[in-house]
Amino acid sequence: MSQRSGTPFSKRLFDLTLTIIGGAVISPFILLLALLVRIYHGAPVLFRHTRPGYKGRPFTLYKFRTMSNAKDESGQPLPDAERLTKFGKFLRSTSLDELPELYNVLRGEMSLVGPRPLLMQYLERYSPEQARRHDVLPGITGWAQVNGRNNVSWEDKFALDVWYVDNWSLWLDIKTLAKTLLKVVVREGINEPGNATAREFMGTQGESS
């Protein structure tokens, strides 16, 4: 049963207020990061990728690039773990690579807090219950991220996402943002053990096999 407290309007107002005020304060820092990404990784500075948003509708997500354009002798990109630079690892471990997503929040494509936008191909792999994670806007951070991030199974992450959908409130968003700052400070649960990023979700059957 849903235990929501608040309205989409109040959530949107909360997002815009924090994003506009916070973005203005840290804008010089964001520009500095953009310059450093240009120096270490070259152009383009931003990583753009199509992700599913509210109700699965696609949008373009923006992040700072964390990988180089290194290729093998045949001209194919090297594996992610080999293209991820030291500076890129720093951006990921501090979640600073996520800062350009504030633009997605301003555009109304994302919220500060919500289920993380994953890959388009996952849409057909979700169970009906897991697909409910798209009943709210995706977030820069989320309840799953502050309760394990990449150190919990996909099924557990999606269960946490659906719990958030059913129980979100402004207080829960504030609590999630506070816990996110703590996670960033201690750099906990950034990558799945043995992988540069989380392994691909292959569906519920793939999870249990």
Side-chain angles (χ1 to χ4, degrees):
M1 182 180 295
S2 176
Q3 299 295 323
R4 290 184 178 184
S5 175
T7 66
F9 175 77
S10 63
K11 183 174 176 64
R12 179 63 178 154
L13 183 61
F14 175 78
D15 284 343
L16 284 176
T17 301
L18 285 190
T19 300
I20 292 172
I21 295 175
V25 171
I26 66 172
S27 58
F29 180 63
I30 294 176
L31 290 175
L32 175 61
L33 285 179
L35 176 61
L36 291 174
V37 171
R38 180 68 175 82
I39 293 172
Y40 284 101
H41 300 150
V45 168
L46 296 178
F47 168 80
R48 297 173 174 84
H49 202 263
T50 301
R51 299 290 175 93
Y54 178 67
K55 298 299 184 183
R57 291 192 287 267
F59 72 99
T60 300
L61 176 136
Y62 298 90
K63 299 175 71 172
F64 281 129
R65 282 181 58 205
T66 57
M67 296 185 184
S68 70
N69 291 318
K71 296 180 172 62
D72 59 23
E73 294 180 354
S74 63
Q76 296 300 313
L78 293 174
D80 288 356
E82 296 182 40
R83 293 190 296 118
L84 183 62
T85 67
K86 289 183 178 180
F87 182 58
K89 290 179 181 178
F90 168 76
L91 290 176
R92 288 191 180 188
S93 68
T94 56
S95 297
L96 293 175
D97 61 319
E98 311 280 358
L99 285 177
E101 292 169 28
L102 292 173
Y103 178 62
N104 291 118
V105 175
L106 289 176
R107 287 169 57 91
E109 298 161 333
M110 293 181 66
S111 175
L112 292 175
V113 180
R116 283 293 298 163
L118 300 174
L119 302 178
M120 293 298 298
Q121 60 261 37
Y122 289 3
L123 289 176
E124 61 186 22
R125 302 175 187 174
Y126 294 133
S127 69
E129 177 70 5
Q130 291 169 345
R132 292 205 299 118
R133 69 191 304 275
H134 292 288
D135 287 349
V136 296
L137 285 174
I140 295 179
T141 186
W143 192 239
Q145 280 60 52
V146 299
N147 286 281
R149 201 169 180 177
N150 285 330
N151 285 333
V152 298
S153 70
W154 280 117
E155 289 186 338
D156 287 343
K157 285 184 197 176
F158 297 150
L160 289 166
D161 286 340
V162 172
W163 184 89
Y164 173 82
V165 169
D166 289 337
N167 294 276
W168 72 263
S169 66
L170 292 184
W171 169 244
L172 182 59
D173 280 5
I174 292 170
K175 180 179 179 180
T176 302
L177 289 171
K179 293 185 70 172
T180 297
L181 291 176
L182 178 61
K183 292 279 185 179
V184 168
V185 170
V186 299
R187 303 188 189 185
E188 179 181 279
I190 305 299
N191 294 327
E192 188 175 87
N195 296 281
T197 57
R199 72 191 188 284
E200 184 176 356
F201 173 62
M202 301 306 296
T204 301
Q205 290 184 342
E207 277 282 286
S208 60
S209 62

